[in-house]
Amino acid sequence: SQELEQSPQSLIVQEGKNLTINCTSSKTLYGLYWYKQKYGEGLIFLMMLQKGGEEKSHEKITAKLDEKKQQSSLHITASQPSHAGIYLCGAIHNAGNMLTFGGGTRLMVKP
Amino acid sequence: DGGITQSPKYLFRKEGQNVTLSCEQNLNHDAMYWYRQDPGQGLRLIYYSQIVNDFQKGDIAEGYSVSREKKESFPLTVTSAQKNPTAFYLCASSLLAGAYNEQFFGPGTRLTVL
């Protein structure tokens, strides 16, 4: 969706390296979901951010919501091959509306 | 063991044929959704249902139809009117409708039109 842009579209990193994925909205963000998808499978919920400046962590993955910039970032520390997959952000632009999804970032981690 | 199941995982169809994709959930969720995912693209909403016997069009409903006769089931029919049906289809459910309710996803069905 052009309303929600993810960058980069794809990323290859060496195992052990840190990386950041961004999700930028053209509309006001009221909240944002991060999901992970293995190729050909369903989406796995990672975390949801609702308040500006909110930061959440799950294992080595940290996500933060910057309402002013209408952006969220997802940071992986010391990447592992198990982190490989497609990361998708889903934006809340209006409480009653459905989610709007970004195009995804495909991550490969080289052992 | 609660969750969402989709069947079949792979589906092949000849042009001009209708085909129905199954989605079942035992999470006791009121809301259910169908998304389409194309290579390198995000998810686009086809239809959603907030409650039994009710459903609403999403962003790309043309060429698709749904029904919600039971709370647990939300089948999607891809009709011959859908011009480019080859895609990965994902079903999801949430306790209630609306963006603040976390959606749980099924494993997906890959449809290929020959």
Side-chain angles (χ1 to χ4, degrees):
Chain A
S1 167
Q2 292 181 341
E3 295 178 347
L4 203 62
E5 295 283 342
Q6 285 189 236
S7 62
Q9 289 185 338
S10 63
L11 189 56
I12 302 174
V13 299
Q14 196 69 43
E15 182 177 358
K17 295 294 185 183
N18 302 339
L19 64 106
T20 299
I21 298 168
N22 292 305
C23 178
T24 303
S25 176
S26 61
K27 295 182 176 181
T28 301
L29 272 178
Y30 292 94
L32 191 125
Y33 289 85
W34 282 102
Y35 285 92
K36 180 185 175 184
Q37 181 184 31
K38 294 247 182 214
Y39 179 75
E41 297 180 11
L43 276 63
I44 304 297
F45 171 80
L46 292 176
M47 53 195 85
M48 179 199 175
L49 306 165
Q50 280 191 259
K51 300 175 184 177
E54 184 174 20
E55 185 173 309
K56 288 186 177 178
S57 293
H58 175 68
E59 297 179 344
K60 294 185 178 180
I61 300 176
T62 301
K64 186 172 182 179
L65 180 63
D66 186 333
E67 276 183 347
K68 290 182 181 178
K69 290 184 179 179
Q70 296 180 177
Q71 185 179 66
S72 177
S73 58
L74 185 130
H75 184 78
I76 298 177
T77 303
S79 59
Q80 301 169 355
S82 61
H83 288 128
I86 302 170
Y87 289 82
L88 292 135
C89 59
I92 302 174
H93 288 138
N94 182 296
N97 283 358
M98 298 298 112
L99 289 178
T100 300
F101 283 89
T105 294
R106 186 178 295 268
L107 171 65
M108 294 179 59
V109 180
K110 295 168 59 177
Chain B
D1 190 21
I4 302 179
T5 57
Q6 291 185 242
S7 61
K9 188 164 180 64
Y10 298 96
L11 191 55
F12 297 89
R13 183 195 101 176
K14 292 183 179 179
E15 276 192 40
Q17 289 180 339
N18 292 354
V19 63
T20 298
L21 282 60
S22 168
C23 177
E24 304 277 333
Q25 55 97 0
N26 61 3
L27 299 169
N28 201 33
H29 285 173
D30 279 335
M32 296 187 75
Y33 313 80
W34 273 106
Y35 292 94
R36 171 183 171 135
Q37 185 178 31
D38 292 284
Q41 298 189 32
L43 277 61
R44 291 184 290 168
L45 184 64
I46 304 172
Y47 269 98
Y48 66 98
S49 168
Q50 298 186 68
I51 200 165
V52 175
N53 294 321
D54 174 76
F55 48 84
Q56 308 291 331
K57 292 182 179 181
D59 300 321
I60 55 166
E62 185 176 350
Y64 299 98
S65 65
V66 294
S67 63
R68 187 86 187 276
E69 296 176 2
K70 298 188 299 181
K71 189 174 186 177
E72 302 79 21
S73 179
F74 190 41
L76 172 75
T77 297
V78 184
T79 74
S80 56
Q82 168 50 234
K83 295 180 181 179
N84 186 20
T86 294
F88 189 56
Y89 291 88
L90 286 160
C91 178
S93 71
S94 60
L95 188 61
L96 299 171
Y100 283 104
N101 293 276
E102 179 190 340
Q103 294 182 25
F104 295 78
F105 285 81
T109 293
R110 184 168 300 279
L111 172 65
T112 302
V113 174
L114 304 173

